[in-house]
Amino acid sequence: MTGVQTCALPIYPLLRGMRWEGISVDSASFKNLPSAERLYRLSQAYLRAAAVLCEQAGEAGEKLEWSQASVCYYCLHLATELFLKACIQRIGREPSKHHEIADLRRE
């Protein structure tokens, strides 16, 4: 898989016990992409993460906490924001630096 490699560095304490010990991701090829493509790919990654989190939240049923729902919403919001900014860049304009989706839709 491109961009994935084993890592010889010591594992950070937060990562101890992870299922895929020693795996890291190299961002060199990502950094070389045009900005609009990076924004688009990030938007898709956040959208996929939101789908997974929303599915898990739905399975929690009545045990769902506000913090879990909030993280789902944040991923959806960020996916939408990044997607709109990618679209704005693709038409040759520079998107605003704010995070307001309604305003980005008007750009």
Side-chain angles (χ1 to χ4, degrees), residues 40 58 71 90:
Y40 175 74
V71 170
R90 285 245 170 102

Side-chain angles (χ1 to χ4, degrees), residues 11-94:
I11 298 175
Y12 296 106
L14 182 62
L15 302 179
R16 288 191 204 290
M18 284 194 61
R19 198 161 116 184
W20 303 286
E21 185 177 324
I23 298 294
S24 68
V25 178
D26 179 12
S27 64
S29 61
F30 183 79
K31 287 190 269 186
N32 292 329
L33 295 171
S35 179
E37 183 64 22
R38 288 194 311 268
L39 289 171
Y40 175 74
R41 288 186 185 194
L42 285 171
S43 77
Q44 296 303 294
Y46 275 103
L47 183 59
R48 285 189 296 275
V52 169
L53 292 172
C54 287
E55 180 69 26
Q56 290 176 350
E59 293 295 324
E62 292 181 17
K63 297 177 186 177
L64 178 64
E65 295 180 7
W66 182 88
S67 56
Q68 290 173 290
S70 178
V71 170
C72 293
Y73 171 78
Y74 178 77
C75 286
L76 288 170
H77 180 91
L78 193 51
T80 305
E81 176 190 341
L82 293 171
F83 178 77
L84 290 171
K85 287 181 176 184
C87 291
I88 292 166
Q89 280 192 345
R90 285 245 170 102
I91 62 170
R93 297 188 7 227
E94 192 59 33

